[in-house]
Amino acid sequence: MTSGRSFGPLVLAALATLAFAAAPAANADPQPQVPCGVLNQLRDNLDNSVSVGIAGVRIVITSPYLSGGQQNRDAESNLVLASHGVHAMQDINRDNIVPGLAPLLDNLNRATDDMSQAVEALFQPISGGFEYGSGISLAWPQPATWTVIDYADQKKNDVYALVNTLQPTCMP
């Protein structure tokens, strides 16, 4: 039994709510257009500095060397190459031209700093006695060393993923 009131307004209110809730959501903002030249510069630094530096570190610390000093210099030059690539990308994006890139570069910068510390810790001063003088030990990478290097690689791949996502929509 009804108390003499009509259900009409309630039904209309319910239908209006359903119609509003079922309306298509506003289109998401289109992906921002970044200048293709900026993405190309980022990719160049990823390819020729960061990737080469990280791969070079892997090679150097696993290669046989006669001198720990030379191995240390070669490792450091690859660490500097990777770090330089990160800083160059931060300079390219100094005005936040590429949305979402700054935090990825911060993560990559921290990861390459951690990698540098881990690799540099592999080389220890040694004393060869009066006849041989002193020097630096050869690197003996530990599992933790690989974990830190793999993490830097992962953070580099995060930057590659963003660049790859933006490349098809870049503006000349």
Side-chain angles (χ1 to χ4, degrees), residues 1-170:
M1 273 199 215
T2 63
S3 60
R5 286 193 231 169
S6 170
F7 286 109
L10 289 175
V11 171
L12 286 176
L15 288 174
T17 302
L18 285 174
F20 182 74
N27 288 340
D29 289 336
Q31 201 157 26
Q33 286 195 317
V34 177
C36 294
V38 168
L39 295 178
N40 292 340
Q41 288 176 335
L42 294 171
R43 185 176 306 283
D44 181 58
N45 279 286
L46 284 166
D47 291 344
N48 298 315
S49 293
V50 179
S51 294
V52 170
I54 293 171
V57 166
R58 288 181 189 277
I59 292 167
V60 167
I61 64 175
T62 57
S63 295
Y65 276 77
L66 294 176
S67 160
Q70 182 61 46
Q71 187 182 32
N72 186 18
R73 281 189 295 277
D74 290 349
E76 284 179 354
S77 65
N78 281 290
L79 292 168
V80 167
L81 184 60
S83 179
H84 168 75
V86 174
H87 292 130
M89 289 188 294
Q90 287 173 323
D91 286 346
I92 292 165
N93 195 50
R94 71 183 162 273
D95 296 327
N96 289 319
I97 297 169
V98 181
L101 181 61
L104 296 178
L105 291 178
D106 289 343
N107 292 342
L108 179 57
N109 189 45
R110 278 191 298 278
T112 56
D113 285 349
D114 291 347
M115 179 179 67
S116 291
Q117 291 175 5
V119 170
E120 289 170 3
L122 298 174
F123 299 97
Q124 302 298 316
I126 56 171
S127 176
F130 180 72
E131 294 175 16
Y132 300 105
S134 61
I136 296 179
S137 68
L138 292 168
W140 295 100
Q142 303 299 310
T145 309
W146 300 120
T147 300
V148 172
I149 294 171
D150 290 343
Y151 185 72
D153 242 346
Q154 177 189 359
K155 296 300 145 191
K156 173 202 66 174
N157 290 339
D158 292 347
V159 176
Y160 264 124
L162 178 63
V163 170
N164 290 340
T165 299
L166 295 174
Q167 195 76 48
T169 62
C170 70

